[in-house]
Amino acid sequence: MSDPKTPRSKSHSRSSDGGKSGKVLRAVLSCIFSFMVALSLFAASTACIVRGVLSEKYTISCIAPSYYDGLKESLEKDAWDYTIPTGIEPSVTKDIFDTATMKSDMENYIGSTFKIRKYTIDTSSQGAVLKERVYDFLKSEGTPTEPVNPADSEVELDEESVKAYNDAVEATNTAVDEYVDEIMELYRKSIKIAALDYIVKVGNEYQKYFPFLMIISVLFGLINGFFCMKVHRLPHRGLRYLVYAFGAGFLMTFTIPFIIYLNGFYNRLNIAPAYFKEFMIAYVKGALAMFMVVSQIWLLIAIILGVLVAILRKKRLRSEARPEEKGVSAEDDASLIIK
Amino acid sequence: MKKISKINKLLAYIYMPVIFSIIAYLIIYIALKPYWDVAASAVSLFTSKTEIQTASTERPPIYDPNAEPAEVKEAEKPYIDARDIDFPGSGEQYGQLICEKVGMDVPVYWDDTYEILRKGAGQYPGTLLPGYGRMILLSAHNVSHFHPLRDMEVGDVITFNTNYCKYEYEVTEIQVYNELELENWVIEHLNEDEEILVMYTCWPFEFQAGRKTDRLTVKAKRISGYDVKWRLYENE
């Protein structure tokens, strides 16, 4: 056993590691591992958020109730524009479509698109109502809508007149059918969201790679975290670098989305109609909010680890009466940045 | 010494994450630089520096029925300088078309989109304003704003109010054209130095099976109002 009054030589000290160069090496390695942990945190959070954004649930959540009101108004205007030149009273299309049905159709359409399934929007009931209104209007205008049967007629009709009459009725009925089909087609087109097919395609491709991205990010983070701790003999020193890592993870995940949020370029999107623009704004804003929320988790962990570092360090210092006797030099106990 | 060490440790909790973040963003920027310009160009295609107005956005009218008429320049033939006229933009109401005899009182807008035709008469932007000595081509729906055209007769007087002057036109011809015939006629007479007000709408007014291809066209010549001088080569 060594004489307690004789200072230990560095070669007998457990913390002996080549002195200053060893400390610098430990610091450099710790920084590298810590940086890698920060990168893996950023990668993991980005991967998760992108997965969340390219999903059916998120897409539906971005559709505000006002979307359907705007859609209904736009649809009625388009129907009016289509109806006017025909000579049909444009009020026949008023309130044909209700927002509850639109919402249901839209959610089913979005769900089917994400599942790569075809969804047929059923407009049979609205079509029947519209047809009835059109025929009521035509009857009020005295337009013949039913063929005549000479046998049922009280007046004798010649064959040519009957044929001309029935031809006109058939043309009217065909025109009405075409008109109703066009209005229903307007509705079906309005339910579809532009670029959704593209989002679904990208999302589904991404879903294939997502598990690998997560596993790689997590493993990478864990391995680097482990080595970050291993480089230091005392746990609170290794933990300090993990605090830097989580702090960096917070900054990386938070900063750019926050800057974009402040810039607000998405509020100046040149897209119409207004309800679709609001949907796109909500979509982008929601994604940015997710980044900012997730980043708070890293910040919270960084704070907890920081507190843990302080506790462990205090515990360590209290347990040492004289640091030199325990073989831990005062230099070892200082942070990298001293001097 | 111990205090400095403590402060340094605390500061490290701030600047180390900042340094890591900067390095990470630099790496990402360098890695994605080839795609950055493409992405930035794509985003700039869909955004503007300020909120833009589209044709679907409500624009306030420039027409003001109480506006002071434009200054009339004294000459052999008095005229209004085109530079004193506030030329309308797409979707802006710039005038009012009135014919009391048939009960017509229609706002007139520059351009003829679906949006505009819901609100009033739209002017084909390839024609010029009243007073300019050229064709003025207006269209509107037959069930709404141009419904009174069915009651119009040759000799009826139509008033066209604008901010700069009040013009009157006398109906000279009412005819039903096929849409292609009308188009050809317009092309043929578009650049003639004769001010003619042409109003057209779908024909017949009643329901017709199939798409309507005929147009009821009302033509009127100017009978009052000042010329607008707009061609630079014209001598005083």
Side-chain angles (χ1 to χ4, degrees):
Chain A
M1 267 182 77
S2 58
D3 182 351
K5 286 181 188 167
T6 314
R8 283 174 185 246
S9 68
K10 281 192 178 162
S11 61
H12 290 288
S13 163
R14 282 184 68 193
S15 68
S16 169
D17 53 10
K20 197 171 180 182
S21 62
K23 220 169 76 169
V24 168
L25 180 65
R26 273 206 307 278
V28 168
L29 285 173
S30 302
C31 283
I32 292 169
F33 291 133
S34 171
F35 179 70
M36 294 301 175
V37 171
L39 277 182
S40 64
L41 291 174
F42 178 53
S45 35
T46 305
C48 283
I49 291 165
V50 169
R51 184 175 192 253
V53 164
L54 297 174
S55 69
E56 173 193 338
K57 207 174 173 184
Y58 178 74
T59 306
I60 292 174
S61 73
C62 292
I63 303 174
S66 58
Y67 182 97
Y68 302 106
D69 296 327
L71 179 61
K72 186 180 174 208
E73 195 184 322
S74 173
L75 190 55
E76 284 185 348
K77 279 184 182 170
D78 290 343
W80 193 94
D81 288 337
Y82 187 79
T83 305
I84 278 281
T86 63
I88 296 172
E89 170 58 45
S91 62
V92 298
T93 58
K94 186 101 177 108
D95 296 326
I96 279 285
F97 308 106
D98 65 285
T99 52
T101 312
M102 282 179 180
K103 185 170 188 281
S104 165
D105 278 334
M106 184 157 259
E107 287 177 4
N108 287 332
Y109 160 71
I110 292 170
S112 299
T113 308
F114 270 95
K115 292 170 186 104
I116 322 277
R117 265 190 254 140
K118 197 169 160 55
Y119 175 71
T120 309
I121 300 168
D122 181 21
T123 55
S124 51
S125 57
Q126 295 106 321
V129 171
L130 179 60
K131 209 175 225 180
E132 195 186 325
R133 287 185 189 178
V134 170
Y135 276 118
D136 286 345
F137 165 75
L138 292 176
K139 279 171 192 161
S140 71
E141 293 283 301
T143 306
T145 56
E146 290 188 18
V148 67
N149 188 349
D152 297 336
S153 174
E154 290 171 0
V155 176
E156 198 172 314
L157 300 164
D158 65 278
E159 208 175 295
E160 217 174 282
S161 304
V162 166
K163 189 178 181 307
Y165 184 92
N166 288 342
D167 284 348
V169 165
E170 196 183 324
T172 299
N173 292 338
T174 304
V176 170
D177 287 342
E178 280 173 4
Y179 166 76
V180 170
D181 286 345
E182 275 300 321
I183 299 295
M184 293 305 120
E185 186 57 28
L186 276 177
Y187 173 73
R188 282 189 287 269
K189 278 185 187 164
S190 70
I191 290 295
K192 295 182 180 177
I193 297 179
L196 182 68
D197 287 341
Y198 178 74
I199 291 172
V200 167
K201 201 174 172 186
V202 169
N204 287 339
E205 272 303 305
Y206 179 76
Q207 299 292 1
K208 288 182 204 166
Y209 298 107
F210 173 74
F212 301 108
L213 278 171
M214 278 308 292
I215 291 167
I216 290 167
S217 301
V218 169
L219 274 177
F220 192 70
L222 285 173
I223 291 166
N224 281 286
F226 172 76
F227 283 116
C228 188
M229 295 294 291
K230 221 39 188 156
V231 161
H232 299 273
R233 198 170 61 85
L234 299 173
H236 73 271
R237 289 181 200 163
L239 259 184
R240 191 175 285 138
Y241 285 91
L242 287 184
V243 175
Y244 302 154
F246 278 91
F250 156 72
L251 283 176
M252 285 180 211
T253 314
F254 180 83
T255 311
I256 296 232
F258 185 63
I259 290 170
I260 295 171
Y261 180 79
L262 288 178
N263 175 269
F265 80 92
Y266 45 87
N267 289 317
R268 301 188 300 274
L269 284 169
N270 293 345
I271 47 178
Y275 60 86
F276 182 68
K277 180 178 170 176
E278 280 165 24
F279 163 73
M280 289 306 296
I281 290 172
Y283 199 89
V284 173
K285 223 172 177 173
L288 295 174
M290 273 195 229
F291 275 98
M292 291 190 277
V293 164
V294 166
S295 66
Q296 307 303 313
I297 298 170
W298 304 142
L299 180 64
L300 188 66
I301 296 172
I303 292 169
I304 292 168
L305 289 178
V307 168
L308 194 59
V309 165
I311 293 168
L312 287 173
R313 187 175 170 276
K314 264 202 170 109
K315 223 174 164 179
R316 177 77 195 175
L317 289 175
R318 243 186 259 131
S319 72
E320 292 166 3
R322 287 168 69 188
E324 297 84 13
E325 286 178 3
K326 297 288 177 181
V328 177
S329 72
E331 279 179 355
D332 282 348
D333 199 37
S335 93
L336 163 72
I337 312 305
I338 274 186
K339 297 158 211 145
Chain B
M1 198 63 181
K2 260 194 173 171
K3 204 172 181 182
I4 295 169
S5 159
K6 220 176 182 176
I7 291 168
N8 281 336
K9 277 186 213 172
L10 286 172
L11 283 177
Y13 285 125
I14 296 168
Y15 64 71
M16 287 302 287
V18 169
I19 290 167
F20 285 171
S21 305
I22 291 170
I23 294 168
Y25 282 140
L26 266 170
I27 292 169
I28 291 168
Y29 175 71
I30 290 164
L32 296 178
K33 196 171 187 325
Y35 309 102
W36 179 253
D37 290 335
V38 173
S41 303
V43 167
S44 68
L45 279 175
F46 293 100
T47 56
S48 63
K49 286 182 184 163
T50 56
E51 195 175 329
I52 62 147
Q53 283 187 319
T54 62
S56 63
T57 309
E58 282 293 325
R59 289 169 178 254
I62 61 168
Y63 171 65
D64 177 8
N66 301 318
E68 282 291 315
E71 185 193 343
V72 177
K73 308 285 186 205
E74 292 301 324
E76 197 182 309
K77 197 177 175 193
Y79 66 91
I80 295 169
D81 194 324
R83 286 169 291 194
D84 294 336
I85 292 171
D86 197 5
F87 208 90
S90 177
E92 287 180 343
Q93 183 200 349
Y94 77 88
Q96 196 81 10
L97 205 60
I98 300 166
C99 181
E100 284 173 7
K101 183 188 165 243
V102 298
M104 185 170 78
D105 189 351
V106 176
V108 181
Y109 295 84
W110 186 253
D111 214 342
D112 53 5
T113 62
Y114 277 120
E115 182 97 15
I116 287 164
L117 295 183
R118 283 181 215 140
K119 300 186 289 187
Q123 175 159 355
Y124 171 59
T127 55
L128 290 173
L129 299 182
Y132 279 63
R134 291 278 181 90
M135 185 190 297
I136 306 157
L137 185 62
L138 304 179
S139 63
H141 287 306
N142 62 4
V143 294
S144 54
H145 303 102
F146 272 1
H147 190 78
L149 289 190
R150 70 191 307 183
D151 299 325
M152 227 167 237
E153 289 170 339
V154 171
D156 287 347
V157 173
I158 301 163
T159 307
F160 199 150
N161 288 331
T162 65
N163 283 352
Y164 54 94
C165 190
K166 174 179 160 182
Y167 292 91
E168 286 182 332
Y169 297 85
E170 184 182 332
V171 175
T172 56
E173 188 185 323
I174 300 173
Q175 195 173 340
V176 174
Y177 285 101
N178 175 269
E179 60 181 349
L180 282 174
E181 281 176 347
L182 178 61
E183 195 179 317
N184 290 335
W185 182 88
V186 166
I187 291 167
E188 200 183 315
H189 295 89
L190 190 62
N191 293 318
E192 283 177 358
D193 283 336
E194 186 196 354
E195 186 160 329
I196 177 166
L197 172 65
V198 181
M199 298 170 288
Y200 74 92
T201 190
C202 289
W203 177 266
F205 282 60
E206 302 77 23
F207 170 78
Q208 177 184 276
R211 193 179 150 272
K212 291 181 184 176
T213 54
D214 290 338
R215 304 287 177 260
L216 174 68
T217 309
V218 175
K219 296 174 194 169
K221 65 171 190 225
R222 196 176 97 205
I223 54 173
S224 77
Y226 292 106
D227 288 340
V228 173
K229 184 179 166 190
W230 57 278
R231 280 179 287 201
L232 298 175
Y233 57 79
E234 270 183 352
N235 296 321
E236 299 240 7

